[in-house]
């Protein structure tokens, strides 16, 4: 079965960076795009970006452009999300999610399988 | 890219039907048939309930249905059950900078 297992809770200081991992199993890693979504405490979902794990191609939400980097490691079937210059407003649960299905245009396939989330707290 | 507009809350009694709206623009909801809906229980990851406006993933009850008219998509839940009490989010594929945009979320209360 499809599984996405994310790394554990992080506590970082303002100005630092965080790198969250998302290890995939139960399917062919390179066939499905991975989305990243975050949710601040008590707030709604926010789409951050998407990566093609096969070639590492990415697309980022405008508000994160320049501050977030998505990468993939096909040797370990793992995707990473790095967020830099952290501020208190970045405190949130961060989710990775695999596209629901493969298809001719993977970028239009919505997130279908979700990881358990990684809580990132930014505090001095 | 502004979030899609959803009502903050809706409510219904067990057995009733409710509809949640999701309003965007011609650059997102109105321009593409790539609207999905998620249900999220407290402390849990979101669960996909509807994709591509009207399609249900395998395993999702047929009490859930989706539709779209112009720039507004809708999620209808019929035969409300207590387990349906949750937050619901729409998402749409978009142009104008950000590929995907979420709605602000709707809290469904089953009275």
């Amino acid at each position: 079965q499809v599984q996405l297992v994310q790394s554990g809770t992080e506590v970082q200081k303002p100005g630092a960076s965080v790198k969250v991992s998302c290890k995939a199993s139960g399917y062919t890693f390179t066939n499905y795009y991975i989305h990243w979504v975050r949710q601040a405490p008590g707030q709604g979902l926010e789409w951050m970006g998407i990566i093609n794990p096969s070639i590492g191609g990415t697309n980022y939400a405008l508000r994160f452009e320049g501050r977030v980097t998505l990468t993939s490691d096909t040797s370990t079937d793992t995707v990473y999300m790095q967020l830099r210059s952290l501020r208190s407003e970045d405190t949130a649960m961060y989710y990775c999610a695999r596209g629901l299905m493969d298809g001719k245009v993977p970028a239009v396939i919505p997130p279908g399988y979700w990881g358990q989330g990684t809580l990132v707290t930014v505090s001095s | 890219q502004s979030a899609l507009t959803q009502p903050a809350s809706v409510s219904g009694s067990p057995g009733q039907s409710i509809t949640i709206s999701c309003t965007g623009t011609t650059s997102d909801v109105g321009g593409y048939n790539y609207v999905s809906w998620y249900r999220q229980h407290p402390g849990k990851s979101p669960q996909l309930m509807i994709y591509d406006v009207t399609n249900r993933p395998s395993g999702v009850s047929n009490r859930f249905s989706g539709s779209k008219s112009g720039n507004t998509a809708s999620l209808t839940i019929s035969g409300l059950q207590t387990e349906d009490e949750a937050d619901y989010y729409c998402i749409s594929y978009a142009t104008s900078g950000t590929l995907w945009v979420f709605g602000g979320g709707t809290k469904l209360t089953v009275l």
Side-chain angles (χ1 to χ4, degrees), chain A residues 39 42-45, chain B residues 3-12 18-23 36-42 46-47 49 64 72-77 80 83-91 102-110:
Chain A
Q39 185 171 36
Q43 302 300 309
L45 300 171
Chain B
L4 307 177
T5 300
Q6 298 182 232
S9 63
V10 298
S11 63
I18 62 94
T19 296
I20 300 172
S21 62
C22 171
T23 301
S36 298
W37 291 90
Y38 296 87
R39 177 174 72 180
Q40 186 182 33
H41 288 117
Q47 176 189 4
M49 308 305 286
F64 292 83
T72 298
S74 298
L75 171 72
T76 297
I77 309 173
L80 272 179
E83 69 196 48
D84 298 329
E85 185 163 294
D87 294 324
Y88 289 83
Y89 295 91
C90 61
I91 187 175
F102 276 101
T106 299
K107 182 175 181 59
L108 169 61
T109 301
V110 181

Side-chain angles (χ1 to χ4, degrees), chain B residues 6-63:
Chain B
Q6 298 182 232
S9 63
V10 298
S11 63
S13 300
Q16 287 186 333
S17 295
I18 62 94
T19 296
I20 300 172
S21 62
C22 171
T23 301
T25 69
T26 54
S27 295
D28 38 66
V29 175
Y32 307 93
N33 288 324
Y34 297 130
V35 178
S36 298
W37 291 90
Y38 296 87
R39 177 174 72 180
Q40 186 182 33
H41 288 117
K44 301 294 187 182
S45 300
Q47 176 189 4
L48 181 65
M49 308 305 286
I50 294 287
Y51 69 96
D52 293 354
V53 178
T54 60
N55 296 323
R56 278 188 309 276
S58 174
V60 171
S61 169
N62 59 9
R63 298 186 299 106

Side-chain angles (χ1 to χ4, degrees), chain A residues 34-58:
Chain A
I34 296 284
H35 301 252
W36 285 85
V37 174
R38 77 176 187 180
Q39 185 171 36
Q43 302 300 309
L45 300 171
E46 181 175 28
W47 188 83
M48 299 180 67
I50 191 170
I51 183 168
N52 174 349
S54 177
I55 61 172
T58 56

